[in-house]
Amino acid sequence: MDNKFRMTPPPSGDIKMPVVPTFETEVLPNGAMLHVMPGGNQSIVKIEINVAAGSLRTSRALIASSTAELLSEGTEFHTAQEMAEALDFYGAYTWPKSSITRASVSSLCVERDLKHIVELVNEIIRHPAFPDEEVELYKAQEIQNFDMKMLKTPYLASRAMLHALYAPGCRYGRVARHEDYDNLTPQALRDFHAEAYRPNVAHIFVSGRPSDDDIRFIAETFGTTDWQPGPTWEIPGPEYNKTSSRTMIEFDGEQTSVRVFRPIFNRSHPDMLPFGMANAALGGYFGARISQNLRERLGLTYGAYSTLNVNKFRGVHSISTEVKTGSHEQVVREIFNDMERLASECITDREMETLRGFMKGEMLHYFDSVLTSADTVAAFMLEDVNMDYVNDYYRIASDISKEEIRQMAAKWLVAGEYSVVCVGKGVGGE
């Protein structure tokens, strides 16, 4: 066989902006919001019940996440085993999820079984029992996991980073302690569920191939007025520490974890998308600057990445890597050198071409099917992100200049405004 065809890459072309679908939205009688996005070629349906029941809503650590995790572990009508067997019988993949702002239960099933799954998910969301024995088993497993994580430098570095970022008492910086597991009780979970899992803070997202009859059934099931609204709740904003810091934690691990980070603007800031390009050039993908330097040139890490996380209040820019023991000081210097170089010199034409392709290609992943499109649009809705975001994203990715990227780096990649955390053997201590 002639190998020339395998050695010749396919022709390149411009990545087009994806079509952004929309949900059809209905307000149900009890205040819950039903959003439907039909589409796809397979007879499958995903349903997600999403409520404002994240960790920021409670003053106690672990309550929100534990409530979400234990929703299906026994209800008023089924034991944990019976519920698991019922979901398995229909071949439904069902999972909980929780974050600092919200919690959800999602299920993926074939359309013919959807009504049965809706009944079970409704029971999970509205009628969990939090049996004593299931809570105790969960606590024992989570304490074991916690003990294991406390032996790993990445987890310790993440905890130290939160402590350095947020002011004392700020819920954004709260981390779990052993005593928090000891104080985790079934009644505490029941009380939180009764307060937070209410229809007026609930969004029901349905995507795939539901029938009109399925949609009516979902609306009747989750819109019933015997599911009563609860208190309203506003997401609190974070309070950051006012100065940068340097934290060195001695720990006898096999590697050293390095975190370099700073508070930054919110998602409505005009620099968000342009700086997102600068962030990607610095460390947003495997072949970016810090990865090339620390991994390919110096051989100090398997990978290094920079991340821009923003919300409606304010965000965080961070660089994370796990490095060879004893190299942390060199690594921190190299990170700041890469930041300075990006701020003082324009990236190359080749970097610019790769960066444009990477940024556009990343967005395509979020719209490659009706289910992933629904997840993306749902996230936009819950975070109050304008749907023009995708148009703006593609415009910036297509039109931004190398000089504009340099200016964004010079404006925000200021070494004196970044804090540093290093956890590992030989880093010293404070």
Side-chain angles (χ1 to χ4, degrees):
M1 180 182 291
D2 191 341
N3 289 330
K4 70 178 181 180
F5 296 106
R6 285 185 282 180
M7 299 298 294
T8 303
S12 61
D14 191 28
I15 299 174
K16 303 299 183 183
M17 189 180 75
V19 176
V20 181
T22 59
F23 282 103
E24 300 171 5
T25 298
E26 175 186 356
V27 183
L28 303 182
N30 57 11
M33 304 286 286
L34 174 61
H35 313 279
V36 181
M37 184 185 291
N41 299 319
Q42 305 297 323
S43 184
I44 58 175
V45 180
K46 180 185 175 185
I47 181 169
E48 175 183 317
I49 318 302
N50 193 297
V51 295
S55 60
L56 293 178
R57 186 156 183 170
T58 173
S59 60
R60 295 176 58 185
L62 301 177
I63 294 295
S65 59
S66 300
T67 298
E69 291 290 335
L70 286 162
L71 286 172
S72 64
E73 301 301 318
T75 68
E76 295 175 12
F77 312 107
H78 293 91
T79 65
Q81 181 176 345
E82 290 170 343
M83 179 59 71
E85 290 174 350
L87 292 169
D88 286 345
F89 177 81
Y90 295 110
Y93 175 49
T94 304
W95 67 99
K97 186 169 62 175
S98 64
S99 68
I100 61 173
T101 56
R102 306 193 68 86
S104 65
V105 173
S106 302
S107 191
L108 187 65
C109 66
V110 295
E111 187 276 331
R112 68 171 182 269
D113 297 327
L114 179 59
K115 289 184 179 179
H116 299 291
I117 298 305
V118 167
E119 291 175 337
L120 292 172
V121 171
N122 179 57
E123 184 179 327
I124 289 170
I125 284 287
R126 294 180 55 196
H127 305 287
F130 304 108
D132 291 5
E133 62 276 13
E134 295 295 340
V135 174
E136 288 303 313
L137 177 61
Y138 173 82
K139 285 169 58 177
Q141 293 172 335
E142 289 301 301
I143 289 172
Q144 187 177 40
N145 291 337
F146 176 79
D147 289 339
M148 292 296 294
K149 288 188 291 187
M150 290 294 288
L151 298 176
K152 299 178 180 179
T153 59
Y155 183 71
L156 295 174
S158 296
R159 290 169 66 93
M161 176 176 159
L162 291 175
H163 178 76
L165 265 174
Y166 298 106
C170 178
R171 292 183 182 182
Y172 285 79
R174 182 171 54 200
V175 295
R177 302 166 300 173
H178 248 291
E179 52 265 39
D180 294 318
Y181 290 99
D182 297 335
N183 296 329
L184 198 61
T185 65
Q187 191 57 50
L189 304 183
R190 295 177 191 127
D191 291 343
F192 180 72
H193 176 269
E195 175 190 0
Y197 284 71
R198 293 293 183 170
N200 57 308
V201 292
H203 292 261
I204 298 100
F205 296 100
V206 183
S207 56
R209 295 285 297 275
S211 66
D212 291 341
D213 187 48
D214 291 330
I215 295 171
R216 283 192 294 270
F217 183 77
I218 292 170
E220 292 169 358
T221 301
F222 292 104
T224 177
T225 53
D226 65 353
W227 189 17
Q228 291 292 319
T232 58
W233 177 68
E234 291 292 330
I235 299 172
E239 182 181 356
Y240 292 95
N241 285 322
K242 299 186 185 304
T243 59
S244 60
S245 62
R246 185 178 176 89
T247 304
M248 300 287 153
I249 300 175
E250 180 73 22
F251 190 83
D252 190 11
E254 296 181 356
Q255 60 186 359
T256 296
S257 294
V258 176
R259 305 289 183 265
V260 179
F261 51 92
R262 62 160 295 175
I264 207 163
F265 43 74
N266 64 16
R267 65 168 172 252
S268 63
H269 195 282
D271 287 351
M272 188 191 77
L273 289 173
F275 180 73
M277 296 287 288
N279 169 69
L282 177 67
Y285 60 98
F286 188 72
R289 288 281 181 94
I290 55 175
S291 180
Q292 286 291 314
N293 186 15
L294 297 178
R295 174 187 164 92
E296 302 300 329
R297 188 176 75 87
L298 298 174
L300 298 176
T301 180
Y302 286 111
Y305 297 93
S306 61
T307 305
L308 177 63
N309 287 320
V310 293
N311 55 46
K312 71 176 183 178
F313 301 107
R314 203 176 175 192
V316 175
H317 181 240
S318 61
I319 298 99
S320 303
T321 186
E322 324 305 325
V323 303
K324 183 179 178 181
T325 298
S327 66
H328 59 283
E329 292 289 358
Q330 180 186 4
V331 166
V332 171
R333 286 195 303 271
E334 292 293 338
I335 289 172
F336 285 130
N337 287 341
D338 284 334
M339 290 165 58
E340 170 59 29
R341 189 161 64 93
L342 193 63
S344 59
E345 304 171 4
C346 288
I347 63 176
T348 66
D349 290 341
R350 183 175 181 179
E351 282 181 293
M352 190 77 243
E353 181 182 4
T354 301
L355 182 61
R356 292 194 199 280
F358 169 76
M359 294 298 283
K360 291 181 180 180
E362 277 292 284
M363 183 59 73
L364 291 184
H365 294 162
Y366 298 107
F367 294 97
D368 62 2
S369 72
V370 64
L371 298 184
T372 53
S373 294
D375 289 345
T376 301
V377 177
F380 285 176
M381 293 174 64
L382 294 173
E383 293 294 327
D384 295 323
V385 175
N386 192 295
M387 292 304 168
D388 289 338
Y389 173 86
V390 178
N391 291 319
D392 295 338
Y393 181 101
Y394 267 74
R395 176 179 55 80
I396 294 294
S398 299
D399 298 340
I400 194 170
S401 69
K402 294 185 291 184
E403 173 60 20
E404 288 174 305
I405 290 175
R406 188 201 65 76
Q407 290 173 2
M408 285 293 102
K411 183 176 180 179
W412 295 106
L413 299 180
V414 180
E417 297 181 7
Y418 281 79
S419 295
V420 175
V421 164
C422 296
V423 182
K425 188 175 181 179
V427 305
E430 290 190 345

